[in-house]
Coordinates of all heavy atoms in Angstrom, one line a residue:
M7 N 87.9 95.1 115.1 CA 87.0 94.0 115.1 C 87.9 92.8 114.9 O 88.4 92.5 113.8 CB 86.0 94.1 114.0 CG 84.8 93.2 114.1 SD 83.4 93.7 113.2 CE 83.9 93.4 111.5
S8 N 88.2 92.0 116.0 CA 89.1 90.9 115.9 C 88.4 89.6 115.4 O 89.1 88.8 114.9 CB 89.8 90.7 117.2 OG 88.8 90.3 118.2
E9 N 87.2 89.5 115.6 CA 86.4 88.4 115.1 C 85.1 88.9 114.5 O 84.7 90.0 114.8 CB 86.2 87.3 116.1 CG 85.3 87.8 117.3 CD 85.1 86.7 118.3 OE1 86.0 86.0 118.6 OE2 83.9 86.6 118.7
Y10 N 84.5 88.1 113.7 CA 83.2 88.5 113.0 C 82.1 88.8 114.0 O 81.8 87.9 114.9 CB 82.8 87.4 112.0 CG 81.5 87.7 111.4 CD1 81.4 88.7 110.4 CD2 80.3 87.0 111.7 CE1 80.2 89.0 109.8 CE2 79.1 87.3 111.1 CZ 79.1 88.3 110.1 OH 77.9 88.5 109.5
N11 N 81.6 89.9 114.0 CA 80.5 90.3 114.8 C 79.4 90.9 113.9 O 79.6 92.0 113.3 CB 80.9 91.3 115.9 CG 79.8 91.8 116.8 OD1 78.7 92.0 116.4 ND2 80.1 91.9 118.1
Q12 N 78.3 90.3 113.7 CA 77.3 90.7 112.7 C 76.8 92.1 113.0 O 76.6 92.9 112.1 CB 76.2 89.7 112.7 CG 75.2 90.0 111.6 CD 74.1 88.9 111.5 OE1 73.9 88.2 112.4 NE2 73.4 88.9 110.4
A13 N 76.6 92.4 114.3 CA 76.0 93.7 114.6 C 77.0 94.8 114.3 O 76.6 95.9 113.7 CB 75.7 93.8 116.1
Q14 N 78.3 94.7 114.5 CA 79.3 95.7 114.2 C 79.4 95.8 112.7 O 79.6 96.8 112.1 CB 80.6 95.3 114.8 CG 80.7 95.5 116.3 CD 82.0 95.1 116.9 OE1 82.8 94.4 116.2 NE2 82.3 95.6 118.1
W15 N 79.3 94.6 112.0 CA 79.4 94.6 110.5 C 78.3 95.4 109.9 O 78.5 96.2 109.0 CB 79.5 93.2 110.0 CG 79.7 93.1 108.6 CD1 81.0 93.2 107.9 CD2 78.8 92.9 107.5 NE1 80.8 93.1 106.6 CE2 79.5 92.9 106.3 CE3 77.4 92.7 107.5 CZ2 78.8 92.7 105.1 CZ3 76.8 92.6 106.3 CH2 77.5 92.6 105.1
K16 N 77.1 95.2 110.4 CA 75.9 95.9 109.9 C 76.1 97.4 110.1 O 75.6 98.2 109.3 CB 74.6 95.4 110.6 CG 74.2 94.1 110.0 CD 72.9 93.7 110.7 CE 72.4 92.3 110.1 NZ 71.1 91.9 110.7
K17 N 76.7 97.9 111.2 CA 76.9 99.3 111.4 C 77.8 99.9 110.4 O 77.7 101.0 110.0 CB 77.4 99.5 112.8 CG 76.4 99.4 113.9 CD 77.0 99.6 115.3 CE 76.0 99.4 116.4 NZ 76.6 99.6 117.7
Q18 N 78.8 99.1 110.0 CA 79.8 99.5 109.0 C 79.2 99.7 107.6 O 79.7 100.5 106.8 CB 81.0 98.6 108.9 CG 81.9 98.6 110.1 CD 83.0 97.6 110.0 OE1 83.0 96.7 109.2 NE2 84.1 97.8 110.8
L19 N 78.1 99.0 107.4 CA 77.4 99.1 106.1 C 77.0 100.5 105.8 O 76.9 100.9 104.7 CB 76.3 98.1 106.0 CG 76.6 96.6 105.8 CD1 75.3 95.8 105.8 CD2 77.4 96.4 104.6
A20 N 76.7 101.3 106.9 CA 76.2 102.6 106.7 C 77.3 103.5 106.0 O 76.9 104.5 105.4 CB 75.8 103.2 108.1
L21 N 78.5 103.2 106.2 CA 79.6 103.9 105.6 C 79.5 103.9 104.0 O 79.9 104.8 103.3 CB 81.0 103.4 106.0 CG 81.4 103.5 107.4 CD1 82.7 102.8 107.7 CD2 81.5 105.0 107.8
L22 N 78.9 102.8 103.5 CA 78.8 102.6 102.1 C 77.8 103.5 101.5 O 77.8 103.7 100.2 CB 78.5 101.2 101.7 CG 79.5 100.1 102.3 CD1 79.1 98.7 101.9 CD2 80.9 100.4 101.8
S23 N 76.9 104.1 102.3 CA 75.8 104.9 101.7 C 76.0 106.4 101.8 O 75.1 107.1 101.4 CB 74.5 104.5 102.4 OG 74.5 104.8 103.8
V24 N 77.1 106.8 102.3 CA 77.3 108.3 102.5 C 77.5 108.9 101.1 O 76.7 109.8 100.8 CB 78.6 108.5 103.4 CG1 78.9 110.0 103.4 CG2 78.4 108.0 104.8
C25 N 78.4 108.5 100.3 CA 78.6 109.0 99.0 C 79.5 108.0 98.2 O 80.0 107.1 98.8 CB 79.2 110.4 99.0 SG 80.9 110.5 99.6
R26 N 79.7 108.3 96.9 CA 80.4 107.4 96.1 C 81.9 107.3 96.5 O 82.5 106.2 96.6 CB 80.4 107.8 94.6 CG 81.0 106.9 93.7 CD 80.8 107.3 92.3 NE 79.4 107.2 92.0 CZ 78.8 107.6 90.9 NH1 79.5 108.2 90.0 NH2 77.5 107.5 90.7
Q27 N 82.5 108.4 96.9 CA 83.9 108.3 97.4 C 84.0 107.5 98.7 O 85.0 106.7 98.8 CB 84.4 109.8 97.6 CG 85.9 109.8 97.8 CD 86.4 111.2 97.9 OE1 85.7 112.2 97.9 NE2 87.7 111.4 97.9
W28 N 83.1 107.8 99.6 CA 83.2 107.0 100.9 C 83.0 105.5 100.6 O 83.6 104.7 101.2 CB 82.1 107.5 101.8 CG 82.5 108.7 102.6 CD1 83.1 109.8 102.2 CD2 82.4 108.8 104.0 NE1 83.3 110.7 103.2 CE2 82.9 110.1 104.4 CE3 81.8 108.1 105.0 CZ2 82.9 110.6 105.7 CZ3 81.8 108.5 106.3 CH2 82.4 109.8 106.6
R29 N 82.1 105.2 99.7 CA 81.9 103.8 99.3 C 83.1 103.1 98.8 O 83.5 102.0 99.2 CB 80.7 103.7 98.3 CG 80.4 102.2 97.9 CD 79.3 102.2 96.9 NE 79.0 100.8 96.5 CZ 78.3 100.0 97.1 NH1 77.7 100.3 98.3 NH2 78.1 98.7 96.7
Q30 N 83.8 103.8 97.9 CA 85.1 103.2 97.3 C 86.1 103.0 98.4 O 86.9 102.1 98.4 CB 85.6 104.1 96.2 CG 84.7 104.1 95.0 CD 85.2 105.1 93.9 OE1 86.0 106.0 94.2 NE2 84.7 105.0 92.7
L31 N 86.2 104.0 99.4 CA 87.2 103.9 100.4 C 86.8 102.9 101.5 O 87.7 102.2 102.1 CB 87.4 105.3 101.1 CG 88.0 106.3 100.2 CD1 88.0 107.7 100.9 CD2 89.4 106.0 99.9
A32 N 85.5 102.7 101.8 CA 85.1 101.8 102.8 C 84.9 100.4 102.4 O 84.9 99.5 103.3 CB 83.8 102.4 103.4
L33 N 84.7 100.1 101.1 CA 84.5 98.7 100.7 C 85.5 97.7 101.2 O 85.2 96.7 101.8 CB 84.4 98.6 99.2 CG 83.0 98.8 98.6 CD1 83.0 98.9 97.1 CD2 82.0 97.7 99.1
P34 N 86.8 98.0 101.1 CA 87.8 97.1 101.6 C 87.7 96.9 103.1 O 87.9 95.8 103.6 CB 89.1 97.7 101.2 CG 88.8 98.6 100.1 CD 87.5 99.1 100.3
L35 N 87.4 97.9 103.8 CA 87.2 97.8 105.3 C 86.0 97.0 105.7 O 86.1 96.1 106.5 CB 87.1 99.2 105.9 CG 86.7 99.3 107.4 CD1 87.9 98.8 108.2 CD2 86.3 100.7 107.8
V36 N 84.9 97.2 105.0 CA 83.6 96.5 105.4 C 83.7 95.1 104.9 O 83.2 94.2 105.7 CB 82.4 97.2 104.7 CG1 81.2 96.4 104.8 CG2 82.2 98.6 105.2
C37 N 84.4 94.8 103.8 CA 84.5 93.4 103.3 C 85.7 92.7 103.8 O 86.0 91.6 103.4 CB 84.4 93.5 101.8 SG 82.9 94.1 101.2
R38 N 86.4 93.2 104.8 CA 87.6 92.6 105.3 C 87.3 91.3 106.1 O 88.0 90.4 106.1 CB 88.3 93.6 106.2 CG 89.6 93.1 106.7 CD 90.2 94.1 107.6 NE 91.5 93.6 108.1 CZ 92.7 94.1 107.7 NH1 92.7 95.2 106.9 NH2 93.8 93.6 108.1
Y39 N 86.1 91.3 106.8 CA 85.8 90.2 107.6 C 84.6 89.5 107.0 O 83.6 90.1 106.6 CB 85.4 90.6 109.0 CG 86.5 91.3 109.7 CD1 86.7 92.6 109.7 CD2 87.5 90.5 110.4 CE1 87.8 93.2 110.4 CE2 88.6 91.1 111.0 CZ 88.7 92.4 111.0 OH 89.8 93.0 111.7
V40 N 84.6 88.2 106.9 CA 83.5 87.3 106.5 C 83.2 86.4 107.6 O 84.1 85.8 108.2 CB 83.9 86.6 105.2 CG1 82.8 85.6 104.8 CG2 84.1 87.5 104.0
G41 N 81.9 86.2 107.9 CA 81.5 85.4 109.0 C 80.5 84.4 108.5 O 79.6 84.7 107.7
I42 N 80.6 83.2 109.0 CA 79.7 82.1 108.8 C 79.3 81.5 110.1 O 80.2 81.0 110.8 CB 80.2 81.0 107.8 CG1 80.7 81.7 106.5 CG2 79.2 80.0 107.6 CD1 81.5 80.7 105.6
V43 N 78.0 81.5 110.4 CA 77.5 80.9 111.7 C 76.6 79.8 111.3 O 75.6 79.9 110.6 CB 76.8 82.0 112.5 CG1 76.3 81.4 113.8 CG2 77.7 83.2 112.8
F44 N 77.0 78.6 111.8 CA 76.2 77.4 111.6 C 75.4 77.1 112.9 O 76.0 77.0 113.9 CB 77.1 76.2 111.3 CG 77.8 76.4 110.0 CD1 79.1 76.8 110.0 CD2 77.3 76.0 108.8 CE1 79.9 76.9 108.9 CE2 78.0 76.2 107.6 CZ 79.3 76.6 107.6
G45 N 74.2 76.8 112.8 CA 73.4 76.4 113.9 C 72.7 77.6 114.6 O 72.9 78.8 114.3
D46 N 72.0 77.3 115.6 CA 71.2 78.3 116.4 C 72.1 78.8 117.5 O 72.7 78.0 118.3 CB 70.0 77.6 117.0 CG 69.1 78.6 117.7 OD1 69.3 79.8 117.6 OD2 68.2 78.2 118.4
C47 N 72.3 80.1 117.6 CA 73.2 80.7 118.6 C 72.4 81.0 119.9 O 73.0 81.7 120.7 CB 73.9 81.9 118.0 SG 72.8 83.2 117.5
T48 N 71.2 80.5 120.0 CA 70.5 80.7 121.3 C 71.2 80.0 122.4 O 71.4 78.8 122.3 CB 69.0 80.3 121.1 OG1 68.5 80.9 120.0 CG2 68.2 80.6 122.4
L49 N 71.5 80.7 123.4 CA 72.2 80.1 124.6 C 71.2 79.3 125.4 O 70.0 79.6 125.5 CB 72.9 81.1 125.4 CG 74.0 81.9 124.7 CD1 74.5 83.0 125.7 CD2 75.1 81.0 124.3
P50 N 71.7 78.2 126.1 CA 70.8 77.5 126.9 C 70.3 78.3 128.1 O 71.0 79.2 128.6 CB 71.7 76.3 127.4 CG 73.1 76.7 127.1 CD 73.0 77.7 126.0
S51 N 69.1 78.0 128.6 CA 68.6 78.7 129.8 C 68.6 77.7 131.0 O 68.2 76.6 130.8 CB 67.2 79.2 129.5 OG 66.4 78.2 129.1
D52 N 69.0 78.3 132.1 CA 69.0 77.4 133.3 C 67.6 77.6 134.0 O 67.2 78.7 134.3 CB 70.1 77.9 134.3 CG 71.4 77.4 133.8 OD1 71.5 76.4 133.1 OD2 72.4 78.1 134.0
S53 N 67.0 76.5 134.4 CA 65.8 76.6 135.2 C 65.9 75.5 136.2 O 66.0 74.3 136.0 CB 64.5 76.3 134.3 OG 64.6 75.1 133.7
S54 N 65.9 76.0 137.5 CA 66.1 75.1 138.7 C 67.4 74.3 138.5 O 68.5 74.9 138.3 CB 64.9 74.2 138.9 OG 64.7 73.3 137.9
S55 N 67.3 73.0 138.6 CA 68.6 72.2 138.5 C 68.9 71.6 137.2 O 69.9 71.0 137.0 CB 68.5 71.1 139.6 OG 67.4 70.2 139.2
T56 N 68.0 71.8 136.2 CA 68.2 71.2 134.9 C 68.5 72.3 133.9 O 68.1 73.5 134.0 CB 67.0 70.4 134.4 OG1 65.9 71.3 134.3 CG2 66.6 69.3 135.4
T57 N 69.2 72.0 132.8 CA 69.5 72.9 131.8 C 68.7 72.5 130.6 O 68.7 71.4 130.1 CB 71.0 72.8 131.4 OG1 71.8 73.1 132.6 CG2 71.3 73.8 130.3
T58 N 67.9 73.5 130.0 CA 67.1 73.2 128.8 C 67.7 74.0 127.6 O 68.3 75.1 127.8 CB 65.7 73.7 129.1 OG1 65.7 75.0 129.4 CG2 65.0 72.9 130.2
Y59 N 67.5 73.5 126.5 CA 68.0 74.1 125.3 C 66.9 74.5 124.4 O 65.8 73.9 124.3 CB 68.9 73.2 124.5 CG 70.2 72.8 125.3 CD1 70.2 71.7 126.1 CD2 71.3 73.6 125.3 CE1 71.3 71.3 126.8 CE2 72.4 73.3 126.0 CZ 72.4 72.2 126.8 OH 73.5 71.9 127.5
E60 N 67.0 75.7 123.7 CA 66.0 76.2 122.8 C 66.0 75.3 121.5 O 67.0 74.7 121.1 CB 66.3 77.6 122.4 CG 66.4 78.6 123.6 CD 65.0 78.7 124.3 OE1 64.0 78.6 123.6 OE2 65.0 78.9 125.5
E61 N 64.9 75.2 120.9 CA 64.8 74.5 119.6 C 65.6 75.2 118.5 O 65.6 76.5 118.5 CB 63.3 74.4 119.2 CG 62.5 73.4 120.0 CD 63.0 72.0 119.9 OE1 63.4 71.5 118.8 OE2 63.1 71.3 121.0
P62 N 66.2 74.5 117.6 CA 67.0 75.2 116.6 C 66.0 75.9 115.6 O 64.9 75.6 115.4 CB 67.7 74.1 115.8 CG 67.1 72.8 116.3 CD 66.4 73.1 117.6
T63 N 66.5 77.0 115.0 CA 65.8 77.7 114.0 C 65.7 77.0 112.7 O 66.5 76.1 112.4 CB 66.4 79.1 113.8 OG1 67.7 79.0 113.3 CG2 66.4 79.9 115.1
D64 N 64.8 77.4 111.8 CA 64.7 76.8 110.5 C 65.8 77.1 109.6 O 66.2 76.3 108.7 CB 63.4 77.3 109.8 CG 62.1 76.7 110.5 OD1 62.3 75.7 111.2 OD2 61.1 77.4 110.4
N65 N 66.5 78.3 109.7 CA 67.6 78.6 108.9 C 68.8 78.7 109.7 O 69.2 79.7 110.3 CB 67.3 80.0 108.2 CG 68.4 80.3 107.2 OD1 69.2 79.5 106.9 ND2 68.3 81.5 106.6
P66 N 69.6 77.6 109.8 CA 70.7 77.6 110.7 C 72.0 78.2 110.3 O 73.0 78.3 111.0 CB 70.9 76.1 110.9 CG 70.5 75.5 109.6 CD 69.4 76.3 109.2
I67 N 72.0 78.8 109.0 CA 73.3 79.4 108.5 C 73.1 80.9 108.3 O 72.1 81.3 107.7 CB 73.7 78.8 107.2 CG1 73.9 77.3 107.4 CG2 74.9 79.4 106.6 CD1 74.2 76.5 106.1
V68 N 73.9 81.7 109.0 CA 73.9 83.1 108.8 C 75.3 83.5 108.3 O 76.3 83.1 108.9 CB 73.7 83.8 110.2 CG1 73.8 85.3 110.0 CG2 72.3 83.4 110.7
T69 N 75.4 84.3 107.2 CA 76.6 84.6 106.6 C 76.5 85.9 105.8 O 75.4 86.3 105.4 CB 77.2 83.5 105.7 OG1 78.5 83.9 105.2 CG2 76.2 83.2 104.6
N70 N 77.6 86.6 105.6 CA 77.7 87.8 104.7 C 78.5 87.5 103.5 O 78.8 88.4 102.7 CB 78.2 89.0 105.5 CG 79.7 88.8 105.9 OD1 80.2 87.6 105.9 ND2 80.4 89.8 106.2
T71 N 78.8 86.2 103.2 CA 79.6 85.9 102.0 C 78.9 86.3 100.7 O 79.6 86.7 99.8 CB 80.0 84.4 102.0 OG1 78.8 83.6 102.1 CG2 80.8 84.0 103.2
N72 N 77.6 86.1 100.6 CA 77.0 86.4 99.3 C 77.0 87.9 99.0 O 77.3 88.3 97.9 CB 75.5 85.9 99.3 CG 75.4 84.4 99.3 OD1 76.3 83.7 98.9 ND2 74.3 83.9 99.8
L73 N 76.8 88.7 100.0 CA 76.9 90.2 99.8 C 78.3 90.6 99.4 O 78.5 91.4 98.5 CB 76.4 90.9 101.1 CG 76.4 92.4 101.0 CD1 75.4 92.8 99.9 CD2 75.9 93.0 102.3
V74 N 79.3 90.1 100.1 CA 80.7 90.4 99.7 C 81.0 90.0 98.3 O 81.6 90.8 97.5 CB 81.7 89.7 100.7 CG1 83.1 89.9 100.3 CG2 81.5 90.3 102.1
A75 N 80.5 88.8 97.9 CA 80.7 88.4 96.5 C 80.0 89.3 95.5 O 80.5 89.6 94.5 CB 80.3 86.9 96.4
Q76 N 78.8 89.7 95.8 CA 78.0 90.5 94.9 C 78.6 91.9 94.8 O 78.5 92.5 93.7 CB 76.5 90.6 95.5 CG 75.7 89.4 95.3 CD 74.4 89.5 96.0 OE1 74.0 90.5 96.6 NE2 73.5 88.5 95.8
M77 N 79.3 92.4 95.8 CA 79.9 93.7 95.7 C 81.3 93.5 95.0 O 82.0 94.5 94.8 CB 80.1 94.3 97.1 CG 78.8 94.7 97.8 SD 79.1 95.6 99.3 CE 79.6 94.4 100.4
G78 N 81.7 92.3 94.6 CA 83.0 92.1 94.0 C 84.2 92.4 94.8 O 85.2 92.8 94.4
Q79 N 84.1 92.1 96.1 CA 85.1 92.3 97.1 C 85.8 91.1 97.7 O 86.3 91.1 98.8 CB 84.6 93.2 98.2 CG 84.2 94.6 97.7 CD 85.4 95.4 97.2 OE1 86.4 95.5 97.8 NE2 85.2 96.0 96.0
I80 N 85.8 90.0 96.9 CA 86.4 88.8 97.5 C 87.8 89.0 97.8 O 88.3 88.4 98.8 CB 86.2 87.6 96.5 CG1 84.7 87.3 96.3 CG2 86.9 86.4 96.9 CD1 84.0 86.7 97.5
K81 N 88.5 89.7 97.0 CA 90.0 90.0 97.2 C 90.2 90.8 98.5 O 91.3 90.8 99.0 CB 90.6 90.6 96.0 CG 90.7 89.7 94.8 CD 91.3 90.4 93.6 CE 91.4 89.5 92.4 NZ 92.0 90.1 91.3
A82 N 89.2 91.5 99.0 CA 89.4 92.3 100.2 C 89.3 91.5 101.4 O 89.7 92.0 102.5 CB 88.3 93.4 100.2
V83 N 88.8 90.3 101.4 CA 88.6 89.5 102.6 C 90.0 89.1 103.1 O 90.8 88.6 102.5 CB 87.8 88.2 102.2 CG1 87.7 87.3 103.5 CG2 86.4 88.5 101.8
R84 N 90.1 89.4 104.4 CA 91.4 89.1 105.1 C 91.1 88.1 106.3 O 92.1 87.5 106.8 CB 92.0 90.3 105.7 CG 92.4 91.3 104.6 CD 93.6 90.7 103.8 NE 94.0 91.6 102.7 CZ 93.7 91.4 101.5 NH1 93.0 90.4 101.1 NH2 94.1 92.3 100.5
Q85 N 89.9 87.9 106.7 CA 89.6 87.0 107.8 C 88.3 86.4 107.6 O 87.3 87.0 107.3 CB 89.6 87.8 109.2 CG 89.4 87.0 110.4 CD 89.5 87.7 111.7 OE1 90.1 88.8 111.7 NE2 89.0 87.2 112.7
L86 N 88.3 85.1 107.9 CA 87.1 84.3 107.8 C 86.8 83.6 109.1 O 87.7 82.9 109.6 CB 87.2 83.2 106.7 CG 86.1 82.1 106.7 CD1 84.8 82.7 106.3 CD2 86.5 81.0 105.7
D87 N 85.7 83.9 109.8 CA 85.4 83.4 111.1 C 84.2 82.4 110.9 O 83.2 82.8 110.3 CB 85.0 84.4 112.1 CG 86.2 85.2 112.5 OD1 87.3 84.7 112.6 OD2 86.0 86.4 112.9
M88 N 84.4 81.2 111.4 CA 83.3 80.2 111.3 C 82.9 79.8 112.7 O 83.8 79.4 113.5 CB 83.7 79.0 110.5 CG 84.0 79.3 109.1 SD 84.6 77.9 108.1 CE 83.2 77.0 108.0
L89 N 81.7 79.9 113.1 CA 81.2 79.5 114.4 C 80.2 78.3 114.2 O 79.3 78.4 113.3 CB 80.5 80.7 115.1 CG 81.3 81.9 115.3 CD1 80.4 83.0 115.8 CD2 82.4 81.6 116.2
L90 N 80.4 77.3 115.0 CA 79.5 76.2 115.0 C 78.8 76.0 116.3 O 79.5 75.8 117.3 CB 80.3 74.9 114.6 CG 79.5 73.6 114.6 CD1 78.4 73.6 113.6 CD2 80.5 72.4 114.4
Y91 N 77.5 76.1 116.3 CA 76.8 75.9 117.6 C 76.1 74.6 117.5 O 75.3 74.3 116.6 CB 75.7 77.0 117.7 CG 76.3 78.4 118.0 CD1 76.4 79.3 117.0 CD2 76.7 78.7 119.3 CE1 77.0 80.5 117.2 CE2 77.2 79.9 119.5 CZ 77.4 80.9 118.5 OH 77.9 82.1 118.8
H92 N 76.4 73.7 118.4 CA 75.8 72.4 118.4 C 75.5 72.0 119.9 O 76.4 72.0 120.7 CB 76.8 71.3 117.9 CG 76.2 70.0 117.9 ND1 75.2 69.6 117.1 CD2 76.6 68.9 118.6 CE1 74.9 68.3 117.3 NE2 75.8 67.9 118.2
Y93 N 74.2 71.7 120.1 CA 73.8 71.4 121.5 C 73.4 70.0 121.6 O 72.8 69.5 120.7 CB 72.7 72.3 122.0 CG 73.1 73.7 122.1 CD1 72.5 74.7 121.2 CD2 73.9 74.2 123.0 CE1 72.9 76.0 121.2 CE2 74.3 75.5 123.1 CZ 73.8 76.4 122.2 OH 74.1 77.7 122.3

């Protein structure tokens, strides 16, 4: 995973629930990437000759930083990806 991908990160969370030993081994892997997404990531849609944009959502920030901090794995973070969507 070269950049933060929320779907892939969520799949890795399953490793933490296998058993205590797997959790200890997988925590640094799962918490290696932190992502922060600002704004609505809905792509514009093309209709005829004009381009229209979707309305932004009410909660424009998506991140896993709080979960990583709650797990006590701040020292395991090796990459921080920040995406800014602005239309």
Side-chain angles (χ1 to χ4, degrees):
M7 195 161 70
S8 61
E9 66 180 42
Y10 177 72
N11 181 318
Q12 187 178 18
Q14 288 178 343
W15 186 81
K16 284 182 178 180
K17 287 180 184 179
Q18 288 181 344
L19 287 178
L21 294 173
L22 303 179
S23 65
V24 174
C25 67
R26 187 173 295 170
Q27 187 175 9
W28 276 47
R29 181 178 176 82
Q30 290 174 346
L31 293 172
L33 269 173
L35 172 70
V36 172
C37 297
R38 183 181 185 111
Y39 298 95
V40 171
I42 304 172
V43 180
F44 298 96
D46 186 10
C47 61
T48 306
L49 296 175
S51 59
D52 287 330
S53 59
S54 63
S55 63
T56 62
T57 302
T58 59
Y59 297 94
E60 302 293 329
E61 290 295 320
T63 60
D64 292 337
N65 187 6
I67 299 174
V68 176
T69 183
N70 64 341
T71 55
N72 291 337
L73 184 59
V74 170
Q76 288 174 357
M77 290 189 289
Q79 294 296 312
I80 296 295
K81 291 182 180 180
V83 175
R84 297 292 178 256
Q85 182 173 341
L86 170 66
D87 288 330
M88 296 176 71
L89 301 172
L90 174 62
Y91 292 99
H92 179 68
Y93 296 110

